[in-house]
């Protein structure tokens, strides 16, 4: 039976699918955690690389100020040709590896007194850049910049053609004997920051990700095995329940047959016998005799009702009509307003009829158990064939508490009623849906194929 079951929309999937879904969820979550950790590591290594880059740029600039620029600047300012050439050469050498991009010396009034680009010398941007002013006041600053170095930006020609270049901009105080306080500004290529970040990431990522990945891989077979066990367990439960239901059906049939063949026949026979002697009873006992006959008739009728209740009459065409009427009777007796409409159903196969009956029985049992409804509508009709395939449709709607769709999809072993009938419907090529009813309450809707094509559908397990 388990092998032939199909998923049926609206209520829940097959246990096997559900098992697969859980494995996918666990593996998916693990993969998501890995990606999250990798992203965090990338962000962290980039931030560490930035810190390192700023520190290194500050150290390099301070060394350049003290060891290279300060000894030559006094001569440069005094137009000493040798010092000037040495200074330009020293800066050129340091720029050779591409890390240092630009060097500018600012005087205390914000004028460029030295730049390796001679056209910048003498320029005095207004206002004095803030980091230059800070350095003139004795403070070192460093920052990451998206723009070209200040003199070129103001001059405005180079380097703006290929998107924004990025720089580390450092300004340090520069003290030269005999001169007012100065500031040395140096720009460094930001690419090095990216390279350091990449190196850090390359080193740190495997340390974090490999153990996690290993853990994930070790977990997968365990999760799969647990899921399989869960699926087996659930299939077993469903099988046991199904067997219990069939056993209960068989028991009902046996009781019903016993009732029919025993008490009902006996009482009916007694009724005939009493009827036969009734005319000969003395006048004074006639009323009592009529009462006995009436009581016997009622007893037979009640027992027949009980028999039908235990095991519905042969189901087929009009039989379903009768069986549905029997099913709704207890609800009516309990004061619920029940509308029952059964259209012309025509000949239905036994399997189809039994499946419809079972759906109705489960849906009405659920109304009694869960809905607290005041009105219930039960309808069954045949839908005209389309493309050679006819359908029979059954609906049970109530105006009760309503159903939370989440509850239907939640896998709870102890609630199997709808799933079992849903599986039976699916095995016959039909469709069962349970959904909130527009206007409140719940609606159970089932469609089963009938007619030429429907006859070919698989039988229930
Ligand atoms: N007509 C309804 N109104 C409100 N809730 C419903 C209705 N029908 C079903 N439910 C909800 O859907 C759940 C699943 O129903 P299902 O018939 O599968 O299980 P059950 O009735 O709880 O148990 P079982 O049928 O196995 O004895 C129910 O527990 C109930 O919460
Ligand atoms: Mg139920």
């Amino acid at each position: 039976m388990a092998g032939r079951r199909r998923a049926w929309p609206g209520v829940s999937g097959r246990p096997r699918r559900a098992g697969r879904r859980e494995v996918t969820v666990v593996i998916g979550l693990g993969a998501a955690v890995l990606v999250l950790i990798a992203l965090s590591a990338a962000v962290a290594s980039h931030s560490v690389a930035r810190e390192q880059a700023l520190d290194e740029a500050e150290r390099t600039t301070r060394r350049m100020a003290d060891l290279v620029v300060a000894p030559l600047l006094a001569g440069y300012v005094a137009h000493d040709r040798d010092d000037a050439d040495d200074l330009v050469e020293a800066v050129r050498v340091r720029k050779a590896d591409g890390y240092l991009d630009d060097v500018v010396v600012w005087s205390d009034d914000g004028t460029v007194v030295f730049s390796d680009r001679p056209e910048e010398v003498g320029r005095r941007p207004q206002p004095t850049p803030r980091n230059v002013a800070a350095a003139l006041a004795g403070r070192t600053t460093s920052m990451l910049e998206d723009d070209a170095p200040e003199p070129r930006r103001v001059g405005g020609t180079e380097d703006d053609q290929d998107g924004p270049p990025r720089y580390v901009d450092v300004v340090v105080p520069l003290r030269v004997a005999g001169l007012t306080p100065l500031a040395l500004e140096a720009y460094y290529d930001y690419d090095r920051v990216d390279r350091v970040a990449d190196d850090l990431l390359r080193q740190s990522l495997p340390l974090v990700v490999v153990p996690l990945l290993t853990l994930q891989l070790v977990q997968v077979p365990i999760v799969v095995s647990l899921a399989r066990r869960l699926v087996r367990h659930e299939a077993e439960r469903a099988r046991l329940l199904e067997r219990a239901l069939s056993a209960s059906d068989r028991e009902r049939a046996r009781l019903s047959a016993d009732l029919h063949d025993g008490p009902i026949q006996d009482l009916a026979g007694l009724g005939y016998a009493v009827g036969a002697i009734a005319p000969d009873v003395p006048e004074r006992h006639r009323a009592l005799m009529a009462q006995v006959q009436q009581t016997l008739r009622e007893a037979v009728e009640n027992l027949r009702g009980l028999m039908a209740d235990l095991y519905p009459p042969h189901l087929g065409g009009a039989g379903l009509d009768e069986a549905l009427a029997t099913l709704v009777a207890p609800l009516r007796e309990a004061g619920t307003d029940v509308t029952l409409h059964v259209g012309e159903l025509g000949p239905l196969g036994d399997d189809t009829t039994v499946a419809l009956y079972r759906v109705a029985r489960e849906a009405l049992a659920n109304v009694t158990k869960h809905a607290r409804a005041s009105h219930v509508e039960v309808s069954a009709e045949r839908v005209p064939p389309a493309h050679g395939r006819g359908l029979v449709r059954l609906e049970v709607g109530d105006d009760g508490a309503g159903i939370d769709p989440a509850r239907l999809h939640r896998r709870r072993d102890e609630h199997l009623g709808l799933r079992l009938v849903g599986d039976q419907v699916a095995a016959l090529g039909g469709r069962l849906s349970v959904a909130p009813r527009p206007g409140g309450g719940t609606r159970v809707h089932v469609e089963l194929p009938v007619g030429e094509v429907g006859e070919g559908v698989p039988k229930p397990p």
Side-chain angles (χ1 to χ4, degrees):
M1 166 173 186
R4 294 228 329 247
R5 280 211 193 130
R6 270 180 253 159
W8 45 291
V11 178
S12 97
R14 291 175 54 191
R16 186 163 296 283
R17 274 208 196 147
R20 231 182 270 155
R21 191 180 61 213
E22 272 134 22
V23 172
T24 314
V25 167
V26 171
I27 293 174
L29 274 179
V33 168
L34 275 182
V35 170
L36 206 66
I37 286 174
L39 286 177
S40 316
V43 171
S45 60
H46 211 266
S47 132
V48 170
R50 277 165 61 123
E51 293 297 320
Q52 283 188 2
L54 291 178
D55 280 355
E56 186 189 337
E58 282 184 18
R59 271 198 310 276
T60 309
T61 312
R62 257 188 241 110
R63 266 202 312 274
M64 186 163 59
D66 295 343
L67 304 178
V68 178
V69 180
L72 297 169
L73 197 69
Y76 170 85
V77 172
H79 302 293
D80 180 317
R81 195 174 192 105
D82 289 345
D83 282 355
D85 289 348
D86 286 353
L87 184 56
V88 170
E89 178 60 12
V91 169
R92 194 189 63 74
V93 167
R94 273 163 186 74
K95 283 175 69 172
D97 69 354
Y99 176 43
L100 178 64
D101 191 78
D102 220 337
V103 175
V104 182
V105 177
W106 302 81
S107 71
D108 67 342
D109 64 354
T111 305
V112 175
V113 292
F114 170 82
S115 167
D116 56 324
R117 298 166 193 273
E119 68 274 15
E120 300 298 335
V121 175
R123 235 178 23 78
R124 188 180 169 195
Q126 288 298 332
T128 303
R130 225 175 319 152
N131 49 355
V132 173
L136 289 170
R139 288 195 306 279
T140 295
T141 60
S142 56
M143 63 177 83
L144 301 173
E145 289 247 347
D146 284 347
D147 294 314
E150 173 75 16
R152 271 189 276 159
R153 207 185 328 153
V154 179
T157 51
E158 292 179 42
D159 281 347
D160 6 351
Q161 45 289 55
D162 297 321
R166 295 179 306 161
Y167 299 91
V168 181
D169 180 6
V170 183
V171 193
V172 299
L174 176 64
R175 300 286 177 253
V176 179
L179 296 181
T180 54
L182 300 157
L184 174 70
E185 181 170 27
Y187 283 86
Y188 300 91
D189 185 5
Y190 188 84
D191 282 353
R192 179 172 293 205
V193 180
D194 284 337
R195 282 200 297 277
V196 173
D198 288 349
D199 285 349
L200 274 175
L201 192 59
R202 255 197 301 278
Q203 287 161 16
S204 60
L205 203 55
L207 295 179
V208 182
V209 170
V210 170
L212 273 176
L213 196 62
T214 315
L215 197 66
Q216 287 283 321
L217 291 177
V218 168
Q219 271 180 10
V220 168
I222 298 172
V223 171
V224 170
S225 134
L226 282 178
R228 281 205 186 127
R229 217 180 286 174
L230 190 76
V231 167
R232 270 203 302 275
H233 174 72
E234 188 151 327
E236 180 68 5
R237 277 188 70 91
R239 203 174 55 77
L240 287 176
L241 194 87
E242 181 68 27
R243 198 185 285 173
L245 286 179
S246 319
S248 136
D249 277 355
R250 279 200 302 277
E251 189 61 14
R252 283 158 170 262
R254 198 181 60 73
L255 274 175
S256 180
D258 285 353
L259 266 183
H260 179 265
D261 299 344
I264 291 179
Q265 298 309 322
D266 292 350
L267 286 176
L270 197 59
Y272 288 128
V274 171
I277 59 165
D280 304 331
V281 169
E283 188 61 37
R284 62 180 197 286
H285 293 311
R286 288 262 164 89
L288 181 61
M289 197 58 171
Q291 208 178 330
V292 168
Q293 282 180 293
Q294 176 63 17
T295 307
L296 277 174
R297 267 196 301 275
E298 280 175 10
V300 170
E301 225 165 81
N302 284 343
L303 284 177
R304 282 192 191 281
L306 184 59
M307 187 180 74
D309 213 15
L310 280 172
Y311 191 71
H314 175 67
L315 296 168
L320 184 64
D321 195 346
E322 205 174 304
L324 291 177
T326 312
L327 281 178
V328 300
L331 267 172
R332 280 188 174 138
E333 274 160 29
T336 311
D337 174 29
V338 183
T339 316
L340 172 64
H341 169 77
V342 181
E344 182 52 53
L345 297 177
L348 300 172
D350 279 356
D351 295 339
T352 305
T353 316
V354 167
L356 290 174
Y357 175 76
R358 280 192 164 175
V359 171
R361 189 174 65 183
E362 179 57 32
L364 289 165
N366 279 349
V367 169
T368 308
K369 273 202 287 185
H370 310 294
R372 299 187 305 280
S374 56
H375 181 69
V376 177
E377 283 166 12
V378 181
S379 66
E381 60 186 349
R382 188 143 179 170
V383 183
H387 312 298
R389 185 171 198 151
L391 285 177
V392 60
R393 179 184 296 151
L394 179 127
E395 248 181 50
V396 178
D398 68 70
D399 65 348
I403 198 158
D404 175 4
R407 290 183 71 120
L408 280 175
H409 294 282
R410 213 179 300 152
R411 297 151 52 76
R412 289 173 59 192
D413 286 348
E414 66 273 28
H415 301 282
L416 277 172
L418 285 172
R419 241 164 65 202
L420 284 173
V421 289
D423 279 352
Q424 191 175 358
V425 167
L428 288 169
R431 216 170 59 86
L432 184 141
S433 66
V434 181
R437 173 176 163 272
T442 306
R443 195 191 68 145
V444 175
H445 178 108
V446 61
E447 280 180 0
L448 278 165
V450 285
E452 287 162 33
V453 180
E455 277 158 18
V457 299
K459 288 183 171 254

